[in-house]
Amino acid sequence: MSNTLRPYLTAVRSSLTAALCLDNFSSQVAERHNTPEIESGKSKEIMLNPIVISRNENEKVLIEPSVNSVRVSIKIKQADDLETILCHKFARFLMLRAENFIILRRKPIQGYDISFLITNNHTEQMLKHKLVDFIVHFMEEVDKEISEMKLSVNARARTVAESYLVLFA
């Protein structure tokens, strides 16, 4: 992990750890229902203030806690058009397989690339610090993955251009 990324990920880690104090909380609207309150949004009094942790305008995390769920939305760094396309394709690839990730949402929040939804059931079934580690590790790796894909595309384009220009030499 680079030195510039460390404070950002440390802030995300500590904020997520604090936000993941979830409890089993039944719906105040429908009897015998236990839906993630951050998703339904019907009871404003049990939703906490959202937290935005921003490294710069292109890279930020939105943590929206409530009594029984937390929604974590991540905006991945996209410096140019190629990174934007690669990020969109990569996020779409992951979201199509959301059931394998359990906490990944199929559709991100407006303005963000990837969203996770962690409910009180997830924190009861899994270890809380492992969930936080997964999200922080995901944030580290997705940046590396997109950079590697960009290098791969550029190398491939260079070889194609060289083989095409050999015909004219």
Side-chain angles (χ1 to χ4, degrees):
M1 169 178 16
S2 68
N3 286 334
T4 58
L5 190 60
R6 184 169 285 126
Y8 172 64
L9 293 178
T10 304
V12 170
R13 180 183 300 278
S14 60
S15 299
L16 265 177
T17 304
L20 282 178
C21 295
L22 305 177
D23 195 23
N24 189 8
F25 192 83
S26 298
S27 174
Q28 293 182 331
V29 179
E31 190 175 336
R32 295 184 177 207
H33 282 241
N34 189 348
T35 58
E37 290 296 331
I38 200 69
E39 291 287 308
S40 66
K42 293 178 181 171
S43 303
K44 299 290 183 199
E45 64 272 4
I46 59 176
M47 292 201 285
L48 305 171
N49 293 331
I51 304 166
V52 177
I53 302 169
S54 180
R55 187 172 178 204
N56 55 41
E57 62 275 351
N58 295 328
E59 198 172 1
K60 58 186 175 180
V61 175
L62 172 67
I63 302 171
E64 299 171 284
S66 72
V67 172
N68 65 353
S69 58
V70 173
R71 184 169 49 203
V72 181
S73 302
I74 302 170
K75 181 160 178 58
I76 302 166
K77 179 186 71 169
Q78 300 163 23
D80 56 6
D81 291 338
L82 180 59
E83 282 187 4
T84 303
I85 292 168
L86 289 173
C87 179
H88 176 71
K89 294 290 184 188
F90 187 66
R92 181 167 153 63
F93 173 82
L94 290 176
M95 286 183 281
L96 286 174
R97 292 149 182 85
E99 66 276 353
N100 296 335
F101 286 97
I102 301 169
I103 61 170
L104 184 66
R105 291 182 79 230
R106 287 207 175 272
K107 189 172 181 195
I109 300 301
Q110 183 76 31
Y112 291 87
D113 300 311
I114 294 176
S115 292
F116 296 97
L117 177 68
I118 303 170
T119 64
N120 64 308
N121 293 330
H122 295 135
T123 56
E124 290 170 1
Q125 294 168 2
M126 302 175 224
L127 299 172
K128 188 188 335 181
H129 68 279
K130 292 291 184 181
L131 285 169
V132 173
D133 288 344
F134 169 75
I135 291 176
V136 170
H137 182 69
F138 177 83
M139 290 173 62
E140 289 176 26
E141 292 299 314
V142 76
D143 224 11
K144 291 178 191 172
E145 218 33 65
I146 290 176
S147 297
E148 287 173 12
M149 284 191 281
K150 184 177 178 181
L151 289 173
S152 173
V153 166
N154 286 337
R156 202 168 183 188
R158 186 177 302 113
T159 2
V160 167
E162 286 173 359
S163 64
Y164 180 73
L165 292 176
V166 165
L167 300 173
F168 297 108

